Amino acid sequence: MRPDAVRGHLDGLILAVLEDGPRHGYAIIEALQTRSGGALELPTGTVYPALRRLERAALLSGTWSTVGGRERRTYTLTRAGRHALANQRADWSEFSAVVDAVLRPAAGRPAAGMP
Amino acid sequence: MTVTDPVDRHLAELERRLSGPSRTRRSMLREARDGLVDAVAAHRRCGLDAHEAAAKAVRDFGSVREIAPLYQDELVARQGRSAALLLLVVFPGLTLGWGMLWRLGARWDSEPASDLVVALARLQDTASAVVAVVALVLLAVTFRRAAPARQVAVLVSLTGVVGAVVCGGTGLVMNLANGSAGRELVEANPYALPAFGCSALLCALVLRSAVRTLLVAGSPVPTAPER
């Protein structure tokens, strides 16, 4: 999948992979790749500034903590982040349903406008 | 150390392109290094040798030209936020501090203050309040992910400069207009001299922060991904 296509949805994707629990940066990247079946070809360096942006917006909280014997910056979804994720899901469902309805081949569409 | 050379080179190049609050910058670069070290380890587990693993991790990370603007935007946003926070603390703090001083019995002199001094004092209070309100609004804007970080930072800087110049300037003119009253106030009230010193220091801090924020907001970064 083209990086440009993913970029506009990156914040929502990050919020979604943090829904299960706290993760550090590289674990978030691995989760994005695993959950997309390896289809996301985003430069990994774009994820770290996005995490800071989400943290600045209070959707994530980030702290340095020891994970596996190493100091890592670990991110947790905040209450505002869960709310933003729910909104993003609803927006995406509505958007994808509309686009799908328009893009669907004419043969698969119910007939309309004829008596 | 050949194993981390590509990683070190990449991060050094990224660091050279960034300017902004040093604590956040160091933290972001440290996090990027952690991620790259994790990526190298993952590629080595897949069978690549050390140098190939490091080179692949760097390629996957993205070019500095592509990534640096994203890091810089965040640094500008953080710089703008801390500058706004400083304004929000300093200006109401100055108003409150001088208010307390007057309540502790400080007086310019026994004569009623001249119309000019009264007008300047009102202007100073109004300017402080306006700066605080604007800083609060701009601080709130920094919580929006899509906020234009550079424009917000520039507005914060200009607000700080205007606030410091108006409040500092009116303070200076009030003292000059009152003749020897300033000296008498310092002699009569032990808190007056620290209050003057503190006010001057805070105005200087605001100006320093404003200049730094303008420099960070205006720092040139590449905007187009390299081909």
Side-chain angles (χ1 to χ4, degrees):
Chain A
M1 190 177 287
R2 282 160 51 93
D4 288 353
V6 179
R7 231 163 247 161
H9 304 289
L10 182 59
D11 288 3
L13 297 175
I14 289 173
L15 295 177
V17 298
L18 284 168
E19 198 177 19
D20 306 338
R23 281 188 160 101
H24 59 79
Y26 191 70
I28 291 168
I29 291 166
E30 282 187 318
L32 286 171
Q33 286 171 344
T34 305
R35 282 173 68 162
S36 69
L40 291 179
E41 290 174 14
L42 203 65
T44 57
T46 60
V47 172
Y48 301 103
L51 287 168
R52 299 292 178 137
R53 186 173 62 240
L54 290 165
E55 186 190 22
R56 176 164 51 83
L59 302 182
L60 300 180
S61 66
T63 50
W64 287 99
S65 55
T66 306
V67 179
R70 271 175 59 193
E71 276 276 293
R72 314 276 197 129
R73 191 159 175 85
T74 307
Y75 295 91
T76 308
L77 203 58
T78 61
R79 184 180 294 192
R82 287 187 191 281
H83 185 67
L85 176 59
N87 283 343
Q88 190 118 7
R89 280 195 174 120
D91 289 348
W92 176 255
S93 294
E94 191 183 336
F95 175 76
S96 61
V98 170
V99 173
D100 187 52
V102 176
L103 287 181
R104 198 181 307 144
R109 238 184 274 150
M114 297 290 286
Chain B
M1 216 168 110
T2 54
V3 174
T4 52
D5 261 349
V7 169
D8 284 344
R9 275 200 306 272
H10 206 60
L11 289 174
E13 177 62 20
L14 179 61
E15 189 174 7
R16 266 198 296 278
R17 306 276 187 114
L18 301 180
S19 66
S22 57
R23 196 169 153 202
T24 307
R25 196 174 69 233
R26 278 200 307 274
S27 173
M28 290 179 85
L29 287 165
R30 184 177 155 199
E31 186 181 25
R33 176 176 294 280
D34 279 346
L36 282 164
V37 168
D38 283 334
V40 171
H43 295 319
R44 291 211 68 183
R45 283 195 297 275
C46 291
L48 295 183
D49 71 33
H51 191 79
E52 285 171 344
K56 179 162 171 49
V58 163
R59 265 199 317 278
D60 291 348
F61 188 82
S63 69
V64 169
R65 199 174 168 77
E66 187 177 14
I67 300 303
L70 304 174
Y71 274 78
Q72 187 57 39
D73 276 351
E74 198 47 38
L75 287 168
V76 171
R78 299 290 176 128
Q79 177 70 36
R81 175 179 285 186
S82 55
L85 205 54
L86 181 69
L87 300 184
L88 201 52
V89 171
V90 165
F91 285 91
L94 280 173
T95 307
L96 204 68
W98 278 101
M100 278 173 65
L101 194 72
W102 299 129
R103 274 199 291 279
L104 284 170
R107 294 283 182 274
W108 283 109
D109 50 30
S110 53
E111 297 297 316
S114 69
D115 289 348
L116 173 66
V117 171
V118 171
L120 288 172
R122 281 192 186 138
L123 173 64
Q124 198 175 54
D125 286 349
T126 307
S128 281
V130 170
V131 167
V133 169
V134 173
L136 183 63
V137 170
L138 292 171
L139 183 69
V141 171
T142 68
F143 281 86
R144 294 181 61 83
R145 280 174 287 161
R150 280 164 201 275
Q151 286 89 328
V152 170
V154 169
L155 281 175
V156 172
S157 302
L158 295 179
T159 307
V161 170
V162 170
V165 168
V166 171
C167 292
T170 48
L172 203 64
V173 175
M174 271 195 281
N175 277 288
L176 293 174
N178 256 356
S180 61
R183 183 170 49 78
E184 286 162 15
L185 174 64
V186 168
E187 284 167 359
N189 192 310
Y191 299 109
L193 190 60
F196 278 121
C198 227
S199 302
L201 184 71
L202 289 174
C203 280
L205 265 180
V206 166
L207 286 174
R208 182 168 164 263
S209 161
V211 169
R212 185 175 285 184
T213 304
L214 271 179
L215 289 174
V216 171
S219 56
V221 285
T223 52
E226 65 191 8
R227 299 283 170 201

